[in-house]
Amino acid sequence: MSTILIIEDEARIAEFIAKGLKSAGFTTHATSSGIEGAALATHGNFDLVILDVGLPDIDGFQVLEQVRGQGVKVPVIMLTARSSVTDTVAGLQGGADDYMAKPFSFEELLARVQLRLRAEQASGAAENGVVLRHGGLTLDLRTRRAEVDGRSIDLSAREFTLAETFLRNPGQVLSREQLLSNVWGYDFEPGSNVVDVYVRYLRRKLGSERFETVRGMGYRLV
Ligand code: CA
C-alpha cells in the first residue's frame, strides 16, 4: 500500500484529497506547514507527495528545493493556481514530476497519482531516498553498494561516505573543511591532506573526470 503526503494549508482541500485517496486504498498524512512538509518528505519514507504552492511559512517551491537538495527523488505533484503558468513552469523546473491546476476534480488527481506511482515502479526507483544517482554513478544507501554504469565497485566505508556527500550535492563546490567535518566528523590538524588522498581513491575507482578540483576552494562532482 502506498503512503501519500499531502502538504496543503487549506483544510477543506486537504480533507477532500485525503478522503478520496483513502477510499482509493492509500494511506495519507497531511500537514499545513511547508517546513514540516519538507522534513516529512525528506525523511518520512513517503511514496508520493502532493504539494500546494501557497503555504503559510515557506512556499511549495522552497519545499521542493529542500527536498530535491537532499537528493530525495520522491515523486511530487504540485497544486498550482490555474491562472499561473509561471507557477507551473517553475514547479516543473524545480523538480516536480507533475502538476494539477486548481480547481481540479478528484478523479483527475487520482489518475495522476496512479500514473506517477506506476512510472516509479517501472523505473525501479521505488527505493526513494535510498538510492542516489548522478551521471552513471549509483549509490545504494541501504546495501552500501556502489555502481558505475551498472558495474559494481568496492568502496571502503570512508570512501562510500565521501562519495555519498558528493552525490547529495551534485555540481556544488565542497570545501575540504566541509568534507572533513561531514565524512570524518572531527577536526584534523591543519594541513591534513586526508581529503585529497580519499578524493584520489574515488577518482581511481569511480572515474577521475567526475571529481573536479576547484582551485583554492575544494572539489565538485560534475
Ligand atoms: Ca494554499
Side-chain angles (χ1 to χ4, degrees):
M1 193 195 321
S2 298
T3 309
I4 297 177
L5 175 63
I6 303 163
I7 309 175
E8 162 65 272
D9 60 317
E10 278 166 82
R12 191 176 48 87
I13 299 178
E15 264 165 45
F16 161 73
I17 298 172
K19 228 167 107 185
L21 288 174
K22 274 177 203 152
S23 58
F26 295 99
T27 305
T28 63
H29 183 89
T31 175
S32 58
S33 149
I35 293 171
E36 189 186 293
L40 285 168
T42 304
H43 304 292
N45 216 9
F46 288 94
D47 297 294
L48 186 139
V49 177
I50 295 172
L51 173 61
D52 188 33
V53 171
L55 296 167
D57 42 10
I58 58 171
D59 70 23
F61 301 119
Q62 291 169 292
V63 172
L64 191 60
E65 196 183 316
Q66 286 187 18
V67 172
R68 294 298 186 235
Q70 295 292 313
V72 176
K73 303 282 198 289
V74 62
V76 173
I77 298 178
M78 286 196 100
L79 305 180
T80 63
R82 187 169 299 278
S83 54
S84 177
V85 176
T86 338
D87 275 9
T88 304
V89 172
L92 294 175
Q93 281 177 347
D97 298 275
D98 206 346
Y99 68 92
M100 289 292 309
K102 285 179 176 177
F104 51 83
S105 74
F106 180 74
E107 299 314 314
E108 256 183 290
L109 178 65
L110 182 62
R112 302 286 176 101
V113 166
Q114 286 169 334
L115 184 71
R116 203 32 68 189
L117 288 173
R118 268 202 305 274
E120 204 59 22
Q121 277 160 3
S123 74
E127 335 87 309
N128 291 317
V130 177
V131 176
L132 300 177
R133 290 191 179 86
H134 186 80
L137 187 59
T138 305
L139 291 186
D140 188 322
L141 303 181
R142 199 182 33 209
T143 61
R144 312 295 287 178
R145 288 167 58 90
E147 283 185 4
V148 173
D149 299 325
R151 194 163 41 89
S152 176
I153 308 284
D154 275 335
L155 295 182
S156 70
R158 207 66 103 178
E159 290 165 351
F160 191 94
T161 309
L162 182 60
E164 179 184 342
T165 307
F166 279 112
L167 262 90
R168 285 191 186 280
N169 304 282
Q172 268 180 54
V173 179
L174 301 173
S175 68
R176 288 179 176 75
E177 293 69 32
Q178 281 175 311
L179 293 168
L180 267 180
S181 72
N182 203 49
V183 178
W184 282 266
Y186 55 92
D187 289 332
F188 269 77
E189 63 272 34
S192 163
N193 66 345
V194 66
V195 170
D196 308 273
V197 170
Y198 271 81
V199 167
R200 217 175 309 145
Y201 293 160
L202 287 189
R203 281 179 171 154
R204 201 177 305 153
K205 291 184 172 182
L206 304 177
S208 55
E209 68 293 344
R210 290 178 200 281
F211 304 95
E212 185 185 53
T213 304
V214 183
R215 201 180 289 273
M217 293 178 74
Y219 294 101
R220 170 164 57 198
L221 178 67
V222 291

